[in-house]
Amino acid sequence: MPELPEVETIVRELKQTLEGKRISHVDVLWERSFTDASTEFKKKVVGQSLDSIYRRGKYICFQCSGDVFFTVHLRMTGKLVFDPTEKEQNHIRVKFVIGEDRLYFVDVRKFGKITLYETPDVLDEKLGVEPLSKAAVFNVLKNYKRSRAIKTVLLDQSILAGLGNIYVDESLFLSKIHPITPFSQIPMEKMRHLSGIIPKVLKKSIKSMGTTLSDYRNTSNIAGQNQNYLMVYGQSGMQCKDCGSIIEKIVCAQRGTHFCPECQKI
């Protein structure tokens, strides 16, 4: 599933190309790509201009004229591309005509969702802070009181919005914290260090246009490059780049979890 850096990459490209243009047509090829009826979506969206395109957590947000607001959540295999490949033609679920551009929602496994909201405030009510600054992350973590495993806490979208499996594993490795460590047992100084590592990991990936392990592509259908710099995620059975120990994989928070048993001791 695309995480914060991948969604941020897509949003920056969409802003540059589409912001300020009018949505003149929406062609629905898969009704269930919409959370609610597509007829209502088309009725409200067609004819509106895209005033603002931005990211909130893993959601791609479209603020239109006429107080119309909708989001796209890519889930596992969703893509927003301007020029789908021949192979992707059979997996186009929705086609948007925006100004002179054609934007295609491609989704092989059909888990992605397009949702119309009454107000953007709905997202703010269920999502935590954006983890792109040390101060923002530390302010949240220092006040958290429960004893869940640290990885479970970091994956909770109501605490930090946008983090997912890849960047949690990478951040915990660089912070030398074992993923199943109870949150309450992490010293405050180590928590402060983790709070600085998380934004650095995310920003580094954004510079590389995100991580492509299988389906993720940007709007030009180009893969990201951050997979070339991963330290532990997807590296099980390989040597740790820091100490030479073998990277292990366990299940934590119902997710495949990668760590170095030497660098990340409990």
Side-chain angles (χ1 to χ4, degrees):
M1 178 186 295
E3 302 177 28
L4 188 154
E6 292 75 50
V7 177
E8 180 67 21
T9 298
I10 293 167
V11 163
R12 291 182 181 186
E13 294 169 347
L14 292 175
K15 277 181 72 71
Q16 186 175 21
T17 304
L18 299 180
E19 207 165 73
K21 296 182 179 179
R22 178 178 170 273
I23 303 172
S24 61
H25 185 74
V26 178
D27 189 11
V28 178
L29 287 81
W30 178 253
E31 176 69 29
R32 290 167 64 184
S33 289
F34 294 85
T35 301
D36 301 306
S38 64
T39 51
E40 182 66 15
F41 179 87
K42 293 168 67 173
K43 179 180 177 181
K44 290 194 173 183
V45 167
V46 172
Q48 306 295 336
S49 62
L50 288 173
D51 291 347
S52 176
I53 303 172
Y54 63 95
R55 180 192 55 76
R56 185 70 174 93
K58 300 176 187 178
Y59 291 84
I60 302 169
C61 302
F62 298 84
Q63 180 64 63
C64 306
S65 57
D67 291 326
V68 175
F69 176 77
F70 70 94
T71 66
V72 176
H73 199 299
L74 300 174
R75 301 287 177 90
M76 294 186 70
T77 61
K79 304 176 192 176
L80 286 175
V81 295
F82 291 111
D83 187 18
T85 65
E86 183 177 347
K87 184 178 178 180
E88 291 171 335
Q89 293 294 328
N90 291 332
H91 303 294
I92 295 173
R93 309 305 173 196
V94 185
K95 172 186 171 184
F96 295 88
V97 179
I98 305 171
E100 300 299 318
D101 299 290
R102 305 292 186 271
L103 181 66
Y104 299 87
F105 180 49
V106 177
D107 191 9
V108 174
R109 299 188 65 181
K110 303 178 180 177
F111 291 145
K113 288 296 178 185
I114 300 173
T115 305
L116 193 64
Y117 289 98
E118 290 293 329
T119 168
D121 294 342
V122 176
L123 289 184
D124 292 330
E125 291 170 3
K126 67 179 182 177
L127 295 176
V129 302
E130 294 291 330
L132 288 173
S133 78
K134 180 177 180 178
V137 175
F138 185 61
N139 187 55
V140 171
L141 296 184
K142 73 178 182 180
N143 294 311
Y144 188 77
K145 303 301 181 184
R146 296 176 63 186
S147 296
R148 297 189 293 171
I150 179 63
K151 176 160 185 177
T152 305
V153 174
L154 297 181
L155 286 175
D156 189 335
Q157 298 300 294
S158 69
I159 299 172
L160 297 173
L163 280 178
N165 212 26
I166 297 172
Y167 302 107
V168 169
D169 281 5
E170 292 293 297
S171 296
L172 290 174
F173 170 76
L174 294 171
S175 303
K176 307 308 177 190
I177 299 173
H178 194 288
I180 69 170
T181 305
F183 187 89
S184 60
Q185 293 182 16
I186 299 175
M188 190 57 67
E189 195 52 44
K190 205 154 195 176
M191 194 69 72
R192 191 188 304 274
H193 180 58
L194 172 63
S195 299
I197 290 293
I198 290 172
K200 288 181 181 178
V201 167
L202 294 172
K203 290 176 181 178
K204 179 182 176 182
S205 183
I206 291 171
K207 287 183 179 179
S208 299
M209 297 193 307
T211 300
T212 294
L213 298 175
S214 56
D215 297 280
Y216 163 70
R217 300 290 187 278
N218 68 1
T219 58
S220 298
N221 238 324
I222 299 172
Q225 296 299 313
N226 193 63
Q227 63 275 9
N228 298 318
Y229 310 109
L230 296 176
M231 299 295 286
V232 290
Y233 187 85
Q235 308 296 308
S236 58
M238 301 178 69
Q239 285 188 319
C240 172
K241 296 180 177 68
D242 280 0
C243 73
S245 299
I246 300 302
I247 301 298
E248 296 183 7
K249 181 179 180 181
I250 59 173
V251 176
C252 178
Q254 299 180 316
R255 308 286 182 87
T257 299
H258 309 79
F259 70 100
C260 172
E262 184 62 31
C263 294
Q264 296 169 266
K265 293 181 178 179
I266 297 179

